[in-house]
Amino acid sequence: MAASDHLTRRRVLGLAGLTLAGLTLPRLGFSADVHAGHNTPQEPAGTGDFIRLDTPRKLKLAVNLNAVCLAPVVIAHGQGFFTQHNLDVELVNFGNSTEVLLEAIATGKADAGVGMALRWLKALEQGFDVKLTAGTHGGCLRLLSAANDGVSRLEDLKGKVIGVTDMASPDRNFFSILLKKHGVDPVRDVEWRLYPADLLGTALERGEVQAVSGSDPFMYRLIKSGVARELSTNLAEEYANLSCCVVGVTGKLVREDKRVVAALTQAILEAHDYSVQHPEAVAKGFQAYALNTSTEEVQAILHDHTHGHHAVGAALTQEILTYVTDLKTVEVISKGTDPVAFAKEITADVFS
């Protein structure tokens, strides 16, 4: 499938997600009186009625401030998504350090965080007291091949080299799963080779690797520059409507104050719905935090994601179960882990 065709399909999936999440009206500004009303006629699917806490609550939310897919969360302050729920949220930048981030949530140094499920699941298997309350969107990960080489199918990667930035990265985990489903053993039939993100394109052009995987904006830029074409994404096949990023909250807070957790989760999902309706506004707001990007680039990347798709409750548990089951097949999750029990243990239905 040509890259342009696939990108069009990604945009269609993003728009289709609106049916799942419910359309939202533009938030062009908020009344100074937050009691004046909420501007969303329908809350994100599965989250019930709008939740406003009776008393203000301060929370710390851990995020990677430079991750384009988290732009809706990052700009949520300016758009008032948290304050309308009576939440005073402080963003804490934890970058890509998953173990540090999860430990911070588990120990209460941060109350919640947002990150990629396929990076978190192995760490959560180690016993962190963190509960997942929602999947926020899909479409963060891409697998690319050189624009002019003969690799056009996943099967073509048998015996080839794939460049990655991290051997435990979510993209390596996901495309290992996809390769396995296409008859290529990701452990024995493929060599994974480490490169800094900004050298993946060079390695591809030199023929040192036959494919590269990663997240945006690096992967988007390689396609845009003509260096690479899109071979696959984490919106492929049965994964088209799965979340790739999730909200994680300290288990203690879930057990002791579920309504606070529900309000926070709802606000985050509202921000993602808003980004589907107003990607330009989100892209502009994100420039205050982003490094080496532009409004146009962020807007284009947001179009390629499914920010209108959210999973909560039983749907979230089922999505996590799918990932855990698949990660066992590629030797990431331990053989002795019960996927059903594990998925139930690490997810929490805060809207029931």
Side-chain angles (χ1 to χ4, degrees), residues 3-4 6-8 10-11 68-69 139-144 197 200-201 212-230 232-233 292-305:
S4 59
H6 193 83
L7 291 177
T8 299
R10 289 164 70 94
R11 291 190 175 94
V68 174
C69 68
C140 289
L141 309 175
R142 307 185 198 245
L143 177 67
L144 313 181
L200 285 174
V212 296
S213 71
S215 57
D216 295 324
F218 292 106
M219 297 296 103
Y220 173 83
R221 291 170 183 168
L222 290 179
I223 297 172
K224 188 75 172 176
S225 68
V227 169
R229 60 183 174 185
E230 194 169 81
S232 190
T233 79
N292 304 318
T293 187
S294 67
T295 298
E296 293 73 23
E297 181 178 72
V298 173
Q299 186 176 351
I301 291 171
L302 290 176
H303 270 302
D304 285 351
H305 298 168

mmCIF file of all heavy atoms in Angstrom, residues 3-4 6-8 10-11 68-69 139-144 197 200-201 212-230 232-233 292-305:
data_model
loop_
_atom_site.group_PDB
_atom_site.id
_atom_site.type_symbol
_atom_site.label_atom_id
_atom_site.label_comp_id
_atom_site.label_asym_id
_atom_site.label_seq_id
_atom_site.Cartn_x
_atom_site.Cartn_y
_atom_site.Cartn_z
ATOM 1 N N ALA A 3 2.277 4.975 0.660
ATOM 2 C CA ALA A 3 2.218 5.765 1.885
ATOM 3 C C ALA A 3 1.064 6.743 1.852
ATOM 4 O O ALA A 3 0.354 6.934 2.836
ATOM 5 C CB ALA A 3 3.539 6.512 2.082
ATOM 6 N N SER A 4 0.845 7.383 0.701
ATOM 7 C CA SER A 4 -0.223 8.374 0.616
ATOM 8 C C SER A 4 -1.586 7.744 0.835
ATOM 9 O O SER A 4 -2.466 8.320 1.469
ATOM 10 C CB SER A 4 -0.187 9.079 -0.748
ATOM 11 O OG SER A 4 -0.327 8.139 -1.794
ATOM 12 N N HIS A 6 -2.177 5.058 2.619
ATOM 13 C CA HIS A 6 -2.317 4.659 4.018
ATOM 14 C C HIS A 6 -2.583 5.853 4.908
ATOM 15 O O HIS A 6 -3.375 5.786 5.842
ATOM 16 C CB HIS A 6 -1.058 3.931 4.484
ATOM 17 C CG HIS A 6 -1.265 3.229 5.785
ATOM 18 N ND1 HIS A 6 -1.835 1.987 5.858
ATOM 19 C CD2 HIS A 6 -1.034 3.627 7.058
ATOM 20 C CE1 HIS A 6 -1.914 1.620 7.115
ATOM 21 N NE2 HIS A 6 -1.433 2.608 7.866
ATOM 22 N N LEU A 7 -1.942 6.973 4.590
ATOM 23 C CA LEU A 7 -2.164 8.160 5.392
ATOM 24 C C LEU A 7 -3.610 8.626 5.264
ATOM 25 O O LEU A 7 -4.209 9.106 6.215
ATOM 26 C CB LEU A 7 -1.206 9.277 4.965
ATOM 27 C CG LEU A 7 0.262 9.027 5.302
ATOM 28 C CD1 LEU A 7 1.113 10.166 4.774
ATOM 29 C CD2 LEU A 7 0.470 8.859 6.788
ATOM 30 N N THR A 8 -4.175 8.474 4.069
ATOM 31 C CA THR A 8 -5.568 8.829 3.881
ATOM 32 C C THR A 8 -6.447 7.942 4.745
ATOM 33 O O THR A 8 -7.394 8.389 5.371
ATOM 34 C CB THR A 8 -5.959 8.673 2.402
ATOM 35 O OG1 THR A 8 -5.152 9.546 1.621
ATOM 36 C CG2 THR A 8 -7.424 9.041 2.180
ATOM 37 N N ARG A 10 -5.608 6.530 7.522
ATOM 38 C CA ARG A 10 -5.435 6.939 8.913
ATOM 39 C C ARG A 10 -6.342 8.126 9.228
ATOM 40 O O ARG A 10 -6.934 8.212 10.287
ATOM 41 C CB ARG A 10 -3.975 7.308 9.187
ATOM 42 C CG ARG A 10 -3.064 6.106 9.205
ATOM 43 C CD ARG A 10 -1.621 6.531 9.082
ATOM 44 N NE ARG A 10 -1.144 7.210 10.261
ATOM 45 C CZ ARG A 10 -0.500 6.621 11.268
ATOM 46 N NH1 ARG A 10 -0.311 5.329 11.260
ATOM 47 N NH2 ARG A 10 -0.058 7.319 12.287
ATOM 48 N N ARG A 11 -6.449 9.052 8.284
ATOM 49 C CA ARG A 11 -7.314 10.207 8.518
ATOM 50 C C ARG A 11 -8.781 9.784 8.606
ATOM 51 O O ARG A 11 -9.543 10.304 9.411
ATOM 52 C CB ARG A 11 -7.128 11.243 7.404
ATOM 53 C CG ARG A 11 -5.763 11.916 7.467
ATOM 54 C CD ARG A 11 -5.670 13.112 6.535
ATOM 55 N NE ARG A 11 -4.406 13.780 6.719
ATOM 56 C CZ ARG A 11 -3.323 13.552 5.999
ATOM 57 N NH1 ARG A 11 -3.351 12.657 5.047
ATOM 58 N NH2 ARG A 11 -2.200 14.210 6.229
ATOM 59 N N VAL A 68 4.340 14.586 20.376
ATOM 60 C CA VAL A 68 3.283 15.216 19.589
ATOM 61 C C VAL A 68 1.925 14.588 19.874
ATOM 62 O O VAL A 68 0.909 15.282 19.939
ATOM 63 C CB VAL A 68 3.611 15.129 18.084
ATOM 64 C CG1 VAL A 68 2.449 15.653 17.246
ATOM 65 C CG2 VAL A 68 4.870 15.919 17.774
ATOM 66 N N CYS A 69 1.899 13.261 20.070
ATOM 67 C CA CYS A 69 0.607 12.601 20.291
ATOM 68 C C CYS A 69 -0.026 13.008 21.609
ATOM 69 O O CYS A 69 -1.231 12.809 21.807
ATOM 70 C CB CYS A 69 0.763 11.080 20.226
ATOM 71 S SG CYS A 69 1.711 10.360 21.579
ATOM 72 N N GLY A 139 -2.457 5.219 16.801
ATOM 73 C CA GLY A 139 -1.756 5.686 15.610
ATOM 74 C C GLY A 139 -0.404 6.317 15.787
ATOM 75 O O GLY A 139 0.080 7.016 14.897
ATOM 76 N N CYS A 140 0.275 6.086 16.913
ATOM 77 C CA CYS A 140 1.551 6.759 17.185
ATOM 78 C C CYS A 140 2.749 6.156 16.447
ATOM 79 O O CYS A 140 3.782 6.813 16.324
ATOM 80 C CB CYS A 140 1.868 6.694 18.679
ATOM 81 S SG CYS A 140 0.814 7.714 19.707
ATOM 82 N N LEU A 141 2.653 4.906 16.032
ATOM 83 C CA LEU A 141 3.843 4.156 15.610
ATOM 84 C C LEU A 141 3.844 3.852 14.120
ATOM 85 O O LEU A 141 2.806 3.508 13.549
ATOM 86 C CB LEU A 141 3.934 2.852 16.403
ATOM 87 C CG LEU A 141 3.835 2.993 17.920
ATOM 88 C CD1 LEU A 141 3.824 1.619 18.568
ATOM 89 C CD2 LEU A 141 4.971 3.854 18.458
ATOM 90 N N ARG A 142 5.031 3.943 13.509
ATOM 91 C CA ARG A 142 5.167 3.666 12.078
ATOM 92 C C ARG A 142 6.393 2.789 11.817
ATOM 93 O O ARG A 142 7.420 2.924 12.482
ATOM 94 C CB ARG A 142 5.309 4.956 11.278
ATOM 95 C CG ARG A 142 4.238 6.016 11.504
ATOM 96 C CD ARG A 142 4.466 7.178 10.548
ATOM 97 N NE ARG A 142 3.789 8.397 10.949
ATOM 98 C CZ ARG A 142 2.810 8.984 10.260
ATOM 99 N NH1 ARG A 142 2.375 8.426 9.153
ATOM 100 N NH2 ARG A 142 2.262 10.108 10.682
ATOM 101 N N LEU A 143 6.263 1.932 10.824
ATOM 102 C CA LEU A 143 7.366 1.129 10.307
ATOM 103 C C LEU A 143 7.606 1.569 8.880
ATOM 104 O O LEU A 143 6.681 1.554 8.055
ATOM 105 C CB LEU A 143 7.014 -0.361 10.361
ATOM 106 C CG LEU A 143 8.042 -1.340 9.795
ATOM 107 C CD1 LEU A 143 9.311 -1.360 10.655
ATOM 108 C CD2 LEU A 143 7.448 -2.738 9.693
ATOM 109 N N LEU A 144 8.832 1.973 8.573
ATOM 110 C CA LEU A 144 9.159 2.528 7.256
ATOM 111 C C LEU A 144 10.232 1.708 6.558
ATOM 112 O O LEU A 144 11.109 1.134 7.204
ATOM 113 C CB LEU A 144 9.658 3.971 7.393
ATOM 114 C CG LEU A 144 8.873 4.941 8.280
ATOM 115 C CD1 LEU A 144 9.537 6.306 8.254
ATOM 116 C CD2 LEU A 144 7.430 5.025 7.836
ATOM 117 N N ALA A 197 17.631 8.559 17.152
ATOM 118 C CA ALA A 197 16.474 8.829 16.293
ATOM 119 C C ALA A 197 16.833 9.639 15.055
ATOM 120 O O ALA A 197 16.343 9.358 13.952
ATOM 121 C CB ALA A 197 15.406 9.557 17.102
ATOM 122 N N LEU A 200 18.333 7.491 12.051
ATOM 123 C CA LEU A 200 17.611 6.377 11.437
ATOM 124 C C LEU A 200 17.484 6.564 9.927
ATOM 125 O O LEU A 200 17.645 5.618 9.157
ATOM 126 C CB LEU A 200 16.220 6.250 12.063
ATOM 127 C CG LEU A 200 16.162 5.640 13.469
ATOM 128 C CD1 LEU A 200 14.744 5.721 14.018
ATOM 129 C CD2 LEU A 200 16.643 4.195 13.472
ATOM 130 N N GLY A 201 17.193 7.784 9.496
ATOM 131 C CA GLY A 201 17.066 8.051 8.064
ATOM 132 C C GLY A 201 18.367 7.838 7.322
ATOM 133 O O GLY A 201 18.381 7.285 6.209
ATOM 134 N N VAL A 212 13.025 0.981 9.343
ATOM 135 C CA VAL A 212 13.179 1.665 10.630
ATOM 136 C C VAL A 212 11.797 1.790 11.256
ATOM 137 O O VAL A 212 10.785 1.878 10.557
ATOM 138 C CB VAL A 212 13.811 3.073 10.487
ATOM 139 C CG1 VAL A 212 15.229 2.966 9.958
ATOM 140 C CG2 VAL A 212 12.963 3.967 9.583
ATOM 141 N N SER A 213 11.762 1.764 12.578
ATOM 142 C CA SER A 213 10.476 1.952 13.253
ATOM 143 C C SER A 213 10.628 3.006 14.330
ATOM 144 O O SER A 213 11.717 3.218 14.864
ATOM 145 C CB SER A 213 9.965 0.640 13.850
ATOM 146 O OG SER A 213 10.735 0.229 14.964
ATOM 147 N N GLY A 214 9.515 3.653 14.633
ATOM 148 C CA GLY A 214 9.553 4.689 15.656
ATOM 149 C C GLY A 214 8.240 5.436 15.689
ATOM 150 O O GLY A 214 7.229 5.002 15.136
ATOM 151 N N SER A 215 8.275 6.587 16.331
ATOM 152 C CA SER A 215 7.074 7.406 16.480
ATOM 153 C C SER A 215 7.295 8.765 15.823
ATOM 154 O O SER A 215 8.410 9.101 15.411
ATOM 155 C CB SER A 215 6.708 7.554 17.956
ATOM 156 O OG SER A 215 7.788 8.107 18.690
ATOM 157 N N ASP A 216 6.239 9.525 15.750
ATOM 158 C CA ASP A 216 6.334 10.866 15.186
ATOM 159 C C ASP A 216 6.913 11.840 16.216
ATOM 160 O O ASP A 216 6.792 11.592 17.417
ATOM 161 C CB ASP A 216 4.933 11.339 14.771
ATOM 162 C CG ASP A 216 4.367 10.491 13.643
ATOM 163 O OD1 ASP A 216 5.159 10.081 12.775
ATOM 164 O OD2 ASP A 216 3.149 10.258 13.626
ATOM 165 N N PRO A 217 7.582 12.905 15.808
ATOM 166 C CA PRO A 217 7.602 13.406 14.433
ATOM 167 C C PRO A 217 8.699 12.826 13.544
ATOM 168 O O PRO A 217 8.704 13.097 12.346
ATOM 169 C CB PRO A 217 7.835 14.902 14.634
ATOM 170 C CG PRO A 217 8.706 14.968 15.851
ATOM 171 C CD PRO A 217 8.195 13.867 16.762
ATOM 172 N N PHE A 218 9.636 12.020 14.096
ATOM 173 C CA PHE A 218 10.754 11.535 13.280
ATOM 174 C C PHE A 218 10.286 10.710 12.090
ATOM 175 O O PHE A 218 10.757 10.882 10.963
ATOM 176 C CB PHE A 218 11.723 10.727 14.145
ATOM 177 C CG PHE A 218 12.467 11.540 15.155
ATOM 178 C CD1 PHE A 218 12.139 11.483 16.495
ATOM 179 C CD2 PHE A 218 13.489 12.380 14.765
ATOM 180 C CE1 PHE A 218 12.812 12.246 17.433
ATOM 181 C CE2 PHE A 218 14.182 13.153 15.689
ATOM 182 C CZ PHE A 218 13.836 13.082 17.024
ATOM 183 N N MET A 219 9.342 9.792 12.310
ATOM 184 C CA MET A 219 8.881 8.937 11.220
ATOM 185 C C MET A 219 8.116 9.751 10.179
ATOM 186 O O MET A 219 8.282 9.547 8.973
ATOM 187 C CB MET A 219 7.997 7.816 11.772
ATOM 188 C CG MET A 219 8.693 6.856 12.718
ATOM 189 S SD MET A 219 10.037 5.904 11.949
ATOM 190 C CE MET A 219 11.477 6.784 12.565
ATOM 191 N N TYR A 220 7.306 10.671 10.639
ATOM 192 C CA TYR A 220 6.556 11.527 9.722
ATOM 193 C C TYR A 220 7.510 12.308 8.817
ATOM 194 O O TYR A 220 7.282 12.441 7.607
ATOM 195 C CB TYR A 220 5.667 12.480 10.521
ATOM 196 C CG TYR A 220 4.972 13.526 9.675
ATOM 197 C CD1 TYR A 220 3.782 13.231 9.015
ATOM 198 C CD2 TYR A 220 5.516 14.807 9.531
ATOM 199 C CE1 TYR A 220 3.149 14.192 8.226
ATOM 200 C CE2 TYR A 220 4.895 15.764 8.747
ATOM 201 C CZ TYR A 220 3.707 15.451 8.093
ATOM 202 O OH TYR A 220 3.097 16.415 7.312
ATOM 203 N N ARG A 221 8.584 12.820 9.406
ATOM 204 C CA ARG A 221 9.539 13.626 8.631
ATOM 205 C C ARG A 221 10.265 12.806 7.576
ATOM 206 O O ARG A 221 10.548 13.301 6.482
ATOM 207 C CB ARG A 221 10.550 14.272 9.583
ATOM 208 C CG ARG A 221 9.936 15.355 10.456
ATOM 209 C CD ARG A 221 10.881 15.814 11.541
ATOM 210 N NE ARG A 221 10.249 16.794 12.415
ATOM 211 C CZ ARG A 221 10.756 17.197 13.571
ATOM 212 N NH1 ARG A 221 11.900 16.673 14.005
ATOM 213 N NH2 ARG A 221 10.113 18.089 14.308
ATOM 214 N N LEU A 222 10.559 11.551 7.888
ATOM 215 C CA LEU A 222 11.234 10.699 6.898
ATOM 216 C C LEU A 222 10.336 10.444 5.700
ATOM 217 O O LEU A 222 10.803 10.402 4.559
ATOM 218 C CB LEU A 222 11.651 9.372 7.545
ATOM 219 C CG LEU A 222 12.789 9.447 8.564
ATOM 220 C CD1 LEU A 222 13.072 8.062 9.149
ATOM 221 C CD2 LEU A 222 14.057 10.019 7.935
ATOM 222 N N ILE A 223 9.050 10.274 5.941
ATOM 223 C CA ILE A 223 8.103 10.099 4.833
ATOM 224 C C ILE A 223 7.990 11.402 4.042
ATOM 225 O O ILE A 223 8.054 11.410 2.812
ATOM 226 C CB ILE A 223 6.718 9.688 5.361
ATOM 227 C CG1 ILE A 223 6.786 8.339 6.066
ATOM 228 C CG2 ILE A 223 5.694 9.627 4.224
ATOM 229 C CD1 ILE A 223 5.506 7.958 6.786
ATOM 230 N N LYS A 224 7.838 12.489 4.761
ATOM 231 C CA LYS A 224 7.649 13.793 4.130
ATOM 232 C C LYS A 224 8.849 14.187 3.268
ATOM 233 O O LYS A 224 8.697 14.787 2.206
ATOM 234 C CB LYS A 224 7.427 14.846 5.223
ATOM 235 C CG LYS A 224 7.017 16.222 4.720
ATOM 236 C CD LYS A 224 5.586 16.250 4.281
ATOM 237 C CE LYS A 224 5.140 17.667 3.972
ATOM 238 N NZ LYS A 224 3.742 17.711 3.444
ATOM 239 N N SER A 225 10.040 13.808 3.713
ATOM 240 C CA SER A 225 11.254 14.168 2.976
ATOM 241 C C SER A 225 11.492 13.310 1.745
ATOM 242 O O SER A 225 12.352 13.620 0.913
ATOM 243 C CB SER A 225 12.472 14.052 3.903
ATOM 244 O OG SER A 225 12.711 12.689 4.226
ATOM 245 N N GLY A 226 10.748 12.206 1.632
ATOM 246 C CA GLY A 226 10.937 11.315 0.493
ATOM 247 C C GLY A 226 11.969 10.231 0.723
ATOM 248 O O GLY A 226 12.204 9.395 -0.150
ATOM 249 N N VAL A 227 12.583 10.214 1.896
ATOM 250 C CA VAL A 227 13.586 9.204 2.219
ATOM 251 C C VAL A 227 12.953 7.834 2.392
ATOM 252 O O VAL A 227 13.537 6.811 2.025
ATOM 253 C CB VAL A 227 14.361 9.603 3.502
ATOM 254 C CG1 VAL A 227 15.222 8.441 4.013
ATOM 255 C CG2 VAL A 227 15.225 10.828 3.240
ATOM 256 N N ALA A 228 11.741 7.815 2.945
ATOM 257 C CA ALA A 228 11.115 6.540 3.305
ATOM 258 C C ALA A 228 9.644 6.511 2.899
ATOM 259 O O ALA A 228 9.031 7.543 2.616
ATOM 260 C CB ALA A 228 11.241 6.308 4.809
ATOM 261 N N ARG A 229 9.117 5.309 2.880
ATOM 262 C CA ARG A 229 7.683 5.116 2.656
ATOM 263 C C ARG A 229 7.128 4.288 3.809
ATOM 264 O O ARG A 229 7.850 3.516 4.442
ATOM 265 C CB ARG A 229 7.426 4.401 1.329
ATOM 266 C CG ARG A 229 8.052 3.029 1.231
ATOM 267 C CD ARG A 229 7.817 2.428 -0.141
ATOM 268 N NE ARG A 229 8.538 1.168 -0.290
ATOM 269 C CZ ARG A 229 8.582 0.477 -1.423
ATOM 270 N NH1 ARG A 229 7.951 0.930 -2.493
ATOM 271 N NH2 ARG A 229 9.252 -0.657 -1.487
ATOM 272 N N GLU A 230 5.847 4.452 4.050
ATOM 273 C CA GLU A 230 5.222 3.762 5.176
ATOM 274 C C GLU A 230 4.918 2.312 4.817
ATOM 275 O O GLU A 230 4.176 2.038 3.878
ATOM 276 C CB GLU A 230 3.940 4.489 5.575
ATOM 277 C CG GLU A 230 3.387 4.070 6.917
ATOM 278 C CD GLU A 230 2.291 5.001 7.376
ATOM 279 O OE1 GLU A 230 1.153 4.814 6.907
ATOM 280 O OE2 GLU A 230 2.580 5.920 8.167
ATOM 281 N N SER A 232 4.006 -0.010 7.407
ATOM 282 C CA SER A 232 2.881 -0.372 8.260
ATOM 283 C C SER A 232 2.811 0.616 9.420
ATOM 284 O O SER A 232 3.721 1.425 9.628
ATOM 285 C CB SER A 232 3.035 -1.799 8.795
ATOM 286 O OG SER A 232 1.855 -2.225 9.437
ATOM 287 N N THR A 233 1.713 0.520 10.181
ATOM 288 C CA THR A 233 1.530 1.355 11.369
ATOM 289 C C THR A 233 0.800 0.529 12.428
ATOM 290 O O THR A 233 0.373 -0.593 12.173
ATOM 291 C CB THR A 233 0.672 2.607 11.073
ATOM 292 O OG1 THR A 233 -0.711 2.226 11.037
ATOM 293 C CG2 THR A 233 1.050 3.248 9.751
ATOM 294 N N ASN A 292 11.608 22.059 17.998
ATOM 295 C CA ASN A 292 11.928 21.821 16.590
ATOM 296 C C ASN A 292 10.758 21.271 15.782
ATOM 297 O O ASN A 292 10.895 20.312 15.020
ATOM 298 C CB ASN A 292 13.119 20.861 16.470
ATOM 299 C CG ASN A 292 14.336 21.354 17.214
ATOM 300 O OD1 ASN A 292 14.656 22.542 17.164
ATOM 301 N ND2 ASN A 292 15.009 20.468 17.927
ATOM 302 N N THR A 293 9.604 21.887 15.946
ATOM 303 C CA THR A 293 8.460 21.470 15.141
ATOM 304 C C THR A 293 7.696 22.712 14.723
ATOM 305 O O THR A 293 8.106 23.842 15.001
ATOM 306 C CB THR A 293 7.557 20.484 15.905
ATOM 307 O OG1 THR A 293 6.552 19.986 15.023
ATOM 308 C CG2 THR A 293 6.913 21.140 17.108
ATOM 309 N N SER A 294 6.596 22.523 14.046
ATOM 310 C CA SER A 294 5.804 23.645 13.557
ATOM 311 C C SER A 294 4.328 23.336 13.725
ATOM 312 O O SER A 294 3.938 22.175 13.902
ATOM 313 C CB SER A 294 6.101 23.913 12.078
ATOM 314 O OG SER A 294 5.643 22.822 11.283
ATOM 315 N N THR A 295 3.511 24.365 13.661
ATOM 316 C CA THR A 295 2.066 24.172 13.748
ATOM 317 C C THR A 295 1.580 23.249 12.647
ATOM 318 O O THR A 295 0.761 22.351 12.875
ATOM 319 C CB THR A 295 1.341 25.525 13.650
ATOM 320 O OG1 THR A 295 1.731 26.347 14.752
ATOM 321 C CG2 THR A 295 -0.166 25.350 13.661
ATOM 322 N N GLU A 296 2.100 23.441 11.434
ATOM 323 C CA GLU A 296 1.659 22.647 10.289
ATOM 324 C C GLU A 296 2.015 21.176 10.470
ATOM 325 O O GLU A 296 1.206 20.277 10.178
ATOM 326 C CB GLU A 296 2.296 23.180 8.999
ATOM 327 C CG GLU A 296 1.832 24.551 8.572
ATOM 328 C CD GLU A 296 2.390 25.686 9.439
ATOM 329 O OE1 GLU A 296 3.454 25.475 10.079
ATOM 330 O OE2 GLU A 296 1.774 26.764 9.489
ATOM 331 N N GLU A 297 3.215 20.900 10.976
ATOM 332 C CA GLU A 297 3.641 19.525 11.172
ATOM 333 C C GLU A 297 2.810 18.830 12.248
ATOM 334 O O GLU A 297 2.335 17.703 12.056
ATOM 335 C CB GLU A 297 5.120 19.470 11.553
ATOM 336 C CG GLU A 297 5.643 18.052 11.764
ATOM 337 C CD GLU A 297 7.120 18.019 12.084
ATOM 338 O OE1 GLU A 297 7.494 18.423 13.208
ATOM 339 O OE2 GLU A 297 7.896 17.597 11.210
ATOM 340 N N VAL A 298 2.613 19.497 13.369
ATOM 341 C CA VAL A 298 1.833 18.895 14.454
ATOM 342 C C VAL A 298 0.404 18.645 14.000
ATOM 343 O O VAL A 298 -0.182 17.591 14.284
ATOM 344 C CB VAL A 298 1.855 19.795 15.709
ATOM 345 C CG1 VAL A 298 0.911 19.261 16.773
ATOM 346 C CG2 VAL A 298 3.280 19.894 16.254
ATOM 347 N N GLN A 299 -0.173 19.586 13.279
ATOM 348 C CA GLN A 299 -1.536 19.423 12.800
ATOM 349 C C GLN A 299 -1.648 18.217 11.873
ATOM 350 O O GLN A 299 -2.589 17.419 11.978
ATOM 351 C CB GLN A 299 -1.994 20.691 12.077
ATOM 352 C CG GLN A 299 -3.458 20.661 11.660
ATOM 353 C CD GLN A 299 -3.908 21.972 11.036
ATOM 354 O OE1 GLN A 299 -3.175 22.972 11.065
ATOM 355 N NE2 GLN A 299 -5.095 22.001 10.475
ATOM 356 N N ALA A 300 -0.687 18.061 10.969
ATOM 357 C CA ALA A 300 -0.708 16.927 10.041
ATOM 358 C C ALA A 300 -0.582 15.601 10.781
ATOM 359 O O ALA A 300 -1.268 14.620 10.456
ATOM 360 C CB ALA A 300 0.429 17.070 9.023
ATOM 361 N N ILE A 301 0.272 15.564 11.789
ATOM 362 C CA ILE A 301 0.465 14.333 12.564
ATOM 363 C C ILE A 301 -0.800 13.998 13.350
ATOM 364 O O ILE A 301 -1.212 12.835 13.410
ATOM 365 C CB ILE A 301 1.682 14.474 13.500
ATOM 366 C CG1 ILE A 301 2.974 14.524 12.673
ATOM 367 C CG2 ILE A 301 1.742 13.321 14.497
ATOM 368 C CD1 ILE A 301 4.218 14.887 13.469
ATOM 369 N N LEU A 302 -1.430 14.998 13.938
ATOM 370 C CA LEU A 302 -2.668 14.757 14.682
ATOM 371 C C LEU A 302 -3.747 14.182 13.774
ATOM 372 O O LEU A 302 -4.543 13.338 14.193
ATOM 373 C CB LEU A 302 -3.154 16.048 15.337
ATOM 374 C CG LEU A 302 -2.315 16.586 16.505
ATOM 375 C CD1 LEU A 302 -2.870 17.927 16.983
ATOM 376 C CD2 LEU A 302 -2.269 15.595 17.658
ATOM 377 N N HIS A 303 -3.782 14.629 12.518
ATOM 378 C CA HIS A 303 -4.741 14.084 11.561
ATOM 379 C C HIS A 303 -4.523 12.588 11.334
ATOM 380 O O HIS A 303 -5.461 11.853 11.051
ATOM 381 C CB HIS A 303 -4.606 14.817 10.221
ATOM 382 C CG HIS A 303 -5.470 16.030 10.103
ATOM 383 N ND1 HIS A 303 -6.840 15.994 10.240
ATOM 384 C CD2 HIS A 303 -5.162 17.323 9.844
ATOM 385 C CE1 HIS A 303 -7.336 17.204 10.073
ATOM 386 N NE2 HIS A 303 -6.340 18.037 9.844
ATOM 387 N N ASP A 304 -3.280 12.151 11.458
ATOM 388 C CA ASP A 304 -2.946 10.747 11.206
ATOM 389 C C ASP A 304 -3.255 9.840 12.391
ATOM 390 O O ASP A 304 -3.179 8.623 12.266
ATOM 391 C CB ASP A 304 -1.453 10.619 10.859
ATOM 392 C CG ASP A 304 -1.151 11.089 9.444
ATOM 393 O OD1 ASP A 304 -2.109 11.346 8.698
ATOM 394 O OD2 ASP A 304 0.026 11.201 9.092
ATOM 395 N N HIS A 305 -3.578 10.417 13.531
ATOM 396 C CA HIS A 305 -3.891 9.630 14.722
ATOM 397 C C HIS A 305 -5.405 9.516 14.896
ATOM 398 O O HIS A 305 -6.165 10.274 14.303
ATOM 399 C CB HIS A 305 -3.293 10.284 15.975
ATOM 400 C CG HIS A 305 -1.813 10.378 15.947
ATOM 401 N ND1 HIS A 305 -1.093 11.139 16.850
ATOM 402 C CD2 HIS A 305 -0.882 9.808 15.137
ATOM 403 C CE1 HIS A 305 0.204 11.035 16.589
ATOM 404 N NE2 HIS A 305 0.355 10.234 15.553
#
